[in-house]
């Protein structure tokens, strides 16, 4: 088994490096993805990152060729192991940079580092060592073990395939889609009730004339919400009036808990300003005189 | 804290319900739009006069002293945010200041005070707005790809979805693997996942 591994490792590695090298060196996508890589950060330039990525692709292609053409010599294997170690170091650098980018608040979200990338780089390192230790050419190893050889190659290819995140759309996503088709959609849940989610009520409110009328008074986002007798009550805080007359108020809206933005007809909203200190209703007349305004009817 | 508890107390709620139902009834639609979490991500300056006078604070919470949050801005700098009884707190849903923790990300809108503190009208804690692709769907989570970054979206009881620009619904069964999805959610620092609040697809 060991001699099989060391014997065929160059072939497997040549396949992997030939493919990744060709993609890096010749694909138009390299220039497009380069600015998103941790490499661009390391070098502080996406142009330089593109050059380095293409050069790495060239090195990978050269290594693939030498692994195939000069078997049973330690040099190509050792160089490949070195490349694998370099990949691991680079991934570790990207990983260190990842925590600050995971929040969504700051800029770089595209550090392509998952455990699979580490596993693949680790395999390149291990494969390089195995290839350096090989004492026979890969074709003689294949010839010696006509049954086990192809099986080993197939298994290795499958493992590398599974560890390559960029190939997911060819096998992982179709597999997951099939699972949903066979076992049903996991988020089917019970039939949605009569009531819409709170977010839908807020959305309806924000598209209503009542919101437009109250917007100059409302200062906070949604403070609290609850339901009572089919009404959904939404509570905001705000300031009514200006200058010395300004009063802190609570702005309460009441909406139909079953109505959303797609419910036909105009949204109907009850609204009141309540003085936060005294509990008095304020500006009742001002709100009463907001004219009714209908949305333009849809054609057809 | 007593006034906050009082505010969500049953008596207070009943009082406010009565106030709302006896208030003015306004019928009609408007395209003015919200002041809510979306406004936190509005690219262009708002025309709303209340917003124009507001200042914004963004960063990570490094300390909590009484009702003041110490915030280290993600572009450098340091701010102090004063929480009041009237400040709304969003952390995946409308909640209270008690759930804010050191290390949380914060986005706040408020008014500058003379002493340099920002008196917050509204704070959004750990809010994220991500352009993603749906990579997998399970019973209580959605696997998402954001750029080349993989992340887990937790599906909660009040997670809502919008399909092709339609209103929000609690029906998540029309999500498909491979779709592009805009995810508004709350980041969980402990396991780096995201609680999905709203997922919009097909628009």
């Amino acid at each position: 088994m060991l001699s099989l591994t060391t014997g065929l490792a160059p072939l497997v590695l040549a396949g992997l490096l030939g493919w990744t090298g060709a993609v890096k060196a010749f694909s138009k996508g390299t220039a497009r993805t380069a600015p998103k890589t941790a490499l661009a950060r390391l070098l502080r330039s996406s142009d330089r990152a593109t050059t380095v990525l293409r050069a790495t692709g060239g090195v990978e292609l050269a290594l693939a060729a030498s692994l195939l053409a000069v078997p049973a010599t330690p040099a190509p294997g050792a160089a490949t192991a070195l490349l694998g170690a370099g990949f691991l170091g680079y991934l570790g650098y990207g990983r260190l940079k990842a925590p600050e980018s995971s929040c969504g608040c700051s800029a770089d979200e595209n550090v392509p580092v998952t455990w699979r990338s580490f596993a693949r780089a680790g395999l390149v390192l291990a494969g390089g060592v195995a290839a350096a230790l090989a004492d026979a050419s890969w074709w003689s190893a294949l010839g010696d073990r006509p049954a086990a050889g192809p099986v080993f190659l197939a298994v290795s290819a499958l493992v590398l395939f599974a560890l390559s995140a960029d190939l997911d759309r060819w096998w992982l996503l179709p597999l997951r889609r099939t699972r949903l088709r066979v076992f049903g959609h996991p988020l089917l849940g019970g039939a949605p009730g009569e009531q819409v989610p709170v977010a839908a009520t807020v959305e309806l409110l924000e598209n209503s004339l009542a919101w437009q009328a109250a917007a100059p008074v409302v200062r906070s986002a949604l403070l609290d919400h609850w339901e009572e007798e089919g009404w959904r009550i939404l509570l905001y805080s705000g300031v009514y009036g200006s200058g010395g007359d300004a009063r802190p108020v609570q702005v309460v809206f009441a909406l139909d808990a079953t109505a959303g933005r797609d419910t036909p007809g105009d949204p109907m909203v009850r609204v009141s300003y309540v003085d936060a200190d005294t509990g008095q209703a304020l500006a009742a007349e001002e709100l009463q005189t907001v004219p009714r305004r209908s949305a333009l009817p849809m054609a057809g | 804290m007593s006034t906050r508890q009082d505010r969500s107390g049953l008596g207070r709620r009943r009082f406010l319900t009565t106030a709302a139902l006896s208030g003015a009834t306004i019928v009609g639609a408007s395209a003015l739009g919200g002041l809510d979490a979306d406004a936190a991500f509005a690219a262009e300056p708002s025309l709303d006069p209340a917003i124009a006078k507001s200042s914004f604070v963004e960063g990570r919470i490094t300390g909590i002293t009484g009702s003041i949050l110490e915030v280290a801005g993600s572009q450098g700098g340091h701010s102090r945010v004063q929480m009041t009884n009237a400040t709304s707190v969003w952390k995946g849903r409308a909640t209270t200041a008690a759930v804010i923790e050191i290390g949380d990300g914060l986005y706040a809108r408020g008014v500058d005070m003379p002493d340099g503190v920002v008196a917050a009208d509204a704070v959004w804690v750990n809010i994220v707005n991500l352009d993603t692709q749906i990579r997998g769907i399970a019973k209580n989570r959605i696997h998402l790809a954001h750029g080349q970054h993989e992340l887990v979206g937790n599906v909660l009881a009040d997670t809502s979805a919008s399909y092709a620009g339609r209103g929000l619904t609690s029906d998540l069964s029309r999500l498909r693997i491979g779709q592009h999805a805009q995810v508004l959610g709350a980041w969980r620092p402990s396991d780096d996942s995201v609680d999905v609040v709203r997922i919009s697809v097909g628009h």
Side-chain angles (χ1 to χ4, degrees), chain A residues 33 36-37 98-107 109-114 116 165 168-169 172-173 176-177 179-180 185-189 192-193 195-197 199-200 202-203 206-213 215-216 218-226 228-229 231 233 235-238 250 252-254 260-262 266-272 274-276 278-280 284 287-288 290-295, chain B residues 4 7-8 12-17 19-38 41 48-50 53 58-60 74-75 85-89 93-95 105-106 109 111 121-122 124 126-130 133-143 146-150 155 158-160 162 165-179 187 192 197-198:
Chain A
T33 52
K36 300 178 188 168
T37 59
E100 69 188 62
S101 60
S102 54
C103 155
C105 317
S106 51
E109 290 282 340
N110 291 298
V111 185
V113 181
T114 62
R116 293 197 292 178
D168 280 355
R169 63 195 163 108
L172 187 62
L173 298 194
R176 286 177 172 169
R177 279 197 198 101
R179 203 180 58 196
L180 292 199
H185 201 291
L187 298 176
L188 212 48
Q195 297 204 339
V196 298
V202 172
E203 190 183 46
E206 289 175 351
N207 283 289
S208 73
L209 192 57
W211 180 256
Q212 186 175 338
V218 173
R219 287 289 173 84
S220 74
L222 184 64
L223 269 174
D224 198 6
H225 62 86
W226 61 92
E228 198 157 310
E229 291 166 6
W231 292 94
I233 314 290
L235 178 67
Y236 293 76
S237 70
Q250 294 192 301
V252 250
F253 299 96
R261 203 150 55 81
D262 300 332
D266 288 323
M268 192 195 75
V269 184
R270 292 196 180 178
V271 53
S272 187
V274 179
D275 190 298
T278 65
Q280 288 285 317
L287 288 169
Q288 296 284 3
V290 173
R292 187 195 163 103
R293 197 177 66 187
S294 300
Chain B
R4 287 196 80 87
R7 194 181 63 207
S8 56
R12 187 80 183 137
R13 281 188 171 181
R14 188 151 301 144
F15 169 73
L16 288 167
T17 304
L21 295 181
S22 62
T25 303
I26 301 180
V27 181
S30 147
L32 189 67
L35 194 72
D36 217 333
D38 292 305
F41 291 103
D48 190 315
K53 275 181 279 176
E58 183 270 327
R60 293 286 283 275
S74 54
Q75 310 291 331
N85 280 332
T87 308
S88 65
V89 179
R93 61 179 66 82
T95 177
L106 170 132
R109 173 168 54 74
V111 181
D121 288 323
W124 291 272
N126 291 339
I127 188 167
V128 290
N129 188 17
L130 303 168
Q133 190 197 18
I134 299 176
R135 308 267 290 172
I137 301 173
K139 190 80 196 156
N140 45 18
R141 58 186 191 277
I142 305 175
H143 297 274
H146 173 59
Q148 291 166 42
H149 193 86
E150 289 177 18
V155 175
D158 49 2
T159 298
S160 52
S162 167
R166 295 184 57 84
L168 289 165
T169 163
S170 53
D171 172 21
L172 303 179
S173 66
R174 281 179 276 161
L175 298 176
R176 295 284 173 267
I177 290 171
Q179 270 178 327
W187 171 57
D192 214 10
V197 173
R198 190 181 68 195

Side-chain angles (χ1 to χ4, degrees), chain A residues 73-255:
Chain A
T73 47
T80 308
L82 216 60
L83 185 74
F87 282 158
L88 279 176
Y90 166 69
L91 289 171
Y93 168 80
R95 187 84 198 179
L96 278 179
K97 287 284 171 186
E100 69 188 62
S101 60
S102 54
C103 155
C105 317
S106 51
D108 195 333
E109 290 282 340
N110 291 298
V111 185
V113 181
T114 62
W115 68 269
R116 293 197 292 178
S117 332
F118 277 99
R120 199 169 77 168
L123 279 184
V124 171
L125 173 59
V129 172
L133 296 176
D135 49 9
S137 67
W138 54 266
W139 56 81
S140 63
L142 208 53
D144 290 348
R145 313 282 286 272
V151 173
F152 175 82
L153 285 181
V155 170
S156 317
L158 276 179
V159 169
L160 290 175
F161 213 74
L163 289 178
S164 305
D166 32 354
L167 295 179
D168 280 355
R169 63 195 163 108
W170 299 112
W171 67 276
L172 187 62
L173 298 194
L175 194 71
R176 286 177 172 169
R177 279 197 198 101
T178 311
R179 203 180 58 196
L180 292 199
R181 214 165 289 144
V182 174
F183 296 106
H185 201 291
L187 298 176
L188 212 48
E194 281 274 284
Q195 297 204 339
V196 298
V198 174
T201 310
V202 172
E203 190 183 46
L204 179 68
L205 172 68
E206 289 175 351
N207 283 289
S208 73
L209 192 57
W211 180 256
Q212 186 175 338
V217 172
V218 173
R219 287 289 173 84
S220 74
L222 184 64
L223 269 174
D224 198 6
H225 62 86
W226 61 92
E227 271 123 60
E228 198 157 310
E229 291 166 6
W231 292 94
R232 181 164 281 150
I233 314 290
L234 304 176
L235 178 67
Y236 293 76
S237 70
V239 176
Y240 179 71
S242 57
D245 299 333
R247 303 285 312 153
V249 292
Q250 294 192 301
V251 184
V252 250
F253 299 96
L255 290 93

Side-chain angles (χ1 to χ4, degrees), chain B residues 42-85:
Chain B
E44 66 275 9
S46 172
L47 297 175
D48 190 315
I51 298 270
K53 275 181 279 176
S54 299
S55 50
F56 294 87
V57 173
E58 183 270 327
R60 293 286 283 275
I61 297 169
T62 55
I64 302 173
T65 323
S67 59
I68 291 193
L69 310 177
E70 309 282 343
V71 182
S74 54
Q75 310 291 331
H78 181 91
S79 317
R80 304 180 78 208
V81 175
Q82 168 81 56
M83 305 293 289
T84 71
N85 280 332

